[in-house]
């Protein structure tokens, strides 16, 4: 394997991508998104872009163009394309990841506040992206929040019951798995409330310190009945607090009584 990319390598690749996109007449704007738009986190940050097209019908042609040009320019270790989501991902052999999203310039919108318009032949992309921030978070998280709440109300109490029974039976790994499931539900709820991406805890480090401590209190650091029960009680209290006022078939007092019969 060639050496891992340096900051200079990343900058060269950035410059190459700007040049490559400018050579395609169907690409009217290039936008950098993610940490690179406001300052890279560190020397290992990847490159994320949104490519604005002249029209939606150009999507397949432009995605094929980018695949061809990057594959010619660089040694690619991995490539994936999700046409339904208009996404491409390249991992170069120097471990630099390149992510591209695609869309027609008329529908330009910023999913995250961090973006930088690198060039724009239409003169409207930046304005559209700025205006989209007024409604985009509600668009992204609104329905998701409702779905996540409904899912949690339907499932979390049963999973906690299963975890309690597993601890009682000495099935400790089963108990850990059940609590992991509930923790993910809880993290999704926090992500919705704080408007942060919760998948694989992607933005959870931006939570307030108290919220992060609460999450950490649910992890199992020692496989013993005592530690498992401690984590389970913490997880239970947090879930019922987060879903306070929601329609849950098993109340917190019922759950506590259930635990007492098993401990």
């Amino acid at each position: 394997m060639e050496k891992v990319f340096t900051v200079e390598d990343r900058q060269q690749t950035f410059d190459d991508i700007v040049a490559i996109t400018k050579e395609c007449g169907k690409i009217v704007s290039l936008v950098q998104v993610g940490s690179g738009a406001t300052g890279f986190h560190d020397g290992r940050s990847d490159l994320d872009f949104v490519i604005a097209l002249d029209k939606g019908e150009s999507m397949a042609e432009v995605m094929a163009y980018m695949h061809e040009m990057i594959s010619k320019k660089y040694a690619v270790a991995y490539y994936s394309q999700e046409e339904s989501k208009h996404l491409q991902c390249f991992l170069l052999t120097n471990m630099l990841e390149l992510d591209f999203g695609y869309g027609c310039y008329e529908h330009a919108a910023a999913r995250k506040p961090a973006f930088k318009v690198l060039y724009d032949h239409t003169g409207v992309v930046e304005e559209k992206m700025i205006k989209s921030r007024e409604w985009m978070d509600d668009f992204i998280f609104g329905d998701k929040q409702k779905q996540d709440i409904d899912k949690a109300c339907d499932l979390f109490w049963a999973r906690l019951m299963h975890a309690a029974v597993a601890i009682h039976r000495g099935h400790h790994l089963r108990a850990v798995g059940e609590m992991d499931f509930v923790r993910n539900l809880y993290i999704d709820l926090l992500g919705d409330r704080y408007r942060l991406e919760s998948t694989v805890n992607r933005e959870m480090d931006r939570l307030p310190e108290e919220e992060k401590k609460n999450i950490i209190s649910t992890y199992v650091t020692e496989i013993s009945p005592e530690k498992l029960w401690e984590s389970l009680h913490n997880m239970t209290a947090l879930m019922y607090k987060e879903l306070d006022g929601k329609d849950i078939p098993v109340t917190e007092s019922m759950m506590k009584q259930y635990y007492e019969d098993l401990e």
Side-chain angles (χ1 to χ4, degrees):
M1 185 187 83
E2 62 181 282
K3 65 179 179 65
V4 174
F5 73 91
T6 64
V7 171
E8 291 74 23
D9 293 331
R10 183 177 61 197
Q11 183 60 47
Q12 182 60 60
T13 304
F14 174 91
D15 294 339
D16 290 341
I17 290 169
V18 174
I20 287 170
T21 57
K22 282 184 174 180
E23 290 174 3
C24 179
K26 296 184 181 297
I27 297 176
V28 297
S29 180
L30 180 65
V31 182
Q32 186 175 17
V33 296
S35 65
T38 55
F40 291 108
H41 289 309
D42 53 40
R44 288 292 170 259
S45 295
D46 54 15
L47 292 173
D48 300 293
F49 300 93
V50 173
I51 292 176
L53 312 174
D54 58 350
K55 55 186 177 181
E57 291 79 1
S58 302
M59 187 81 65
E61 181 180 346
V62 174
M63 292 179 84
Y65 167 80
M66 292 300 295
H67 183 205
E68 178 184 4
M69 296 301 290
I70 290 175
S71 297
K72 283 182 178 179
K73 186 74 176 177
Y74 297 100
V76 177
Y78 171 80
Y79 168 74
S80 69
Q81 178 168 311
E82 296 184 61
E83 294 184 17
S84 61
K85 295 182 179 179
H86 308 147
L87 297 174
Q88 282 179 322
C89 175
F90 298 82
L91 178 67
L92 308 186
T93 54
N94 64 1
M95 303 303 288
L96 176 59
E97 183 178 340
L98 313 176
D99 295 313
F100 298 93
Y102 294 82
C104 176
Y105 81 94
E106 293 178 339
H107 307 298
R111 293 181 64 88
K112 299 289 182 182
F115 67 87
K116 181 194 297 182
V117 178
L118 301 174
Y119 67 84
D120 175 22
H121 300 319
T122 70
V124 301
V125 168
E126 184 163 16
E127 180 183 2
K128 285 179 175 293
M129 294 187 74
I130 291 172
K131 286 186 175 180
S132 74
R133 293 305 308 157
E134 298 174 4
W135 53 266
M136 183 57 77
D137 279 351
D138 286 338
F139 174 75
I140 295 170
F141 291 101
D143 286 342
K144 180 180 181 298
Q145 185 173 37
K146 183 181 183 304
Q147 292 170 7
D148 287 343
I149 289 173
D150 290 344
K151 179 181 179 182
C153 289
D154 285 342
L155 298 177
F156 90 91
W157 51 272
R159 294 289 190 156
L160 293 179
M161 290 174 63
H162 294 165
V165 171
I167 299 172
H168 176 73
R169 291 174 176 170
H171 298 167
H172 296 161
L173 294 181
R174 167 73 186 275
V176 171
E178 298 289 359
M179 283 189 280
D180 285 347
F181 182 91
V182 178
R183 185 186 307 104
N184 287 334
L185 295 177
Y186 179 68
I187 288 173
D188 281 339
L189 295 174
L190 288 181
D192 297 333
R193 179 152 61 87
Y194 284 94
R195 299 302 196 246
L196 298 172
E197 187 175 343
S198 58
T199 305
V200 297
N201 295 353
R202 185 175 178 87
E203 295 182 325
M204 292 299 99
D205 289 293
R206 292 169 54 190
L207 285 170
E209 287 302 316
E210 190 61 31
E211 299 285 18
K212 290 190 284 188
K213 288 179 182 177
N214 287 339
I215 293 173
I216 292 170
S217 75
T218 69
Y219 282 97
V220 178
T221 57
E222 177 185 318
I223 301 297
S224 68
E226 294 75 20
K227 290 297 184 181
L228 288 167
W229 279 116
E230 179 182 338
S231 296
L232 182 59
H233 281 293
N234 291 341
M235 186 79 264
T236 302
L238 290 171
M239 284 299 292
Y240 276 102
K241 181 179 179 181
E242 188 66 27
L243 295 170
D244 183 43
K246 301 298 188 292
D247 185 16
I248 302 169
V250 176
T251 66
E252 187 172 8
S253 61
M254 292 167 62
M255 189 66 76
K256 287 180 178 178
Q257 182 61 55
Y258 189 73
Y259 292 169
E260 287 177 10
D261 290 342
L262 292 171
E263 282 190 78

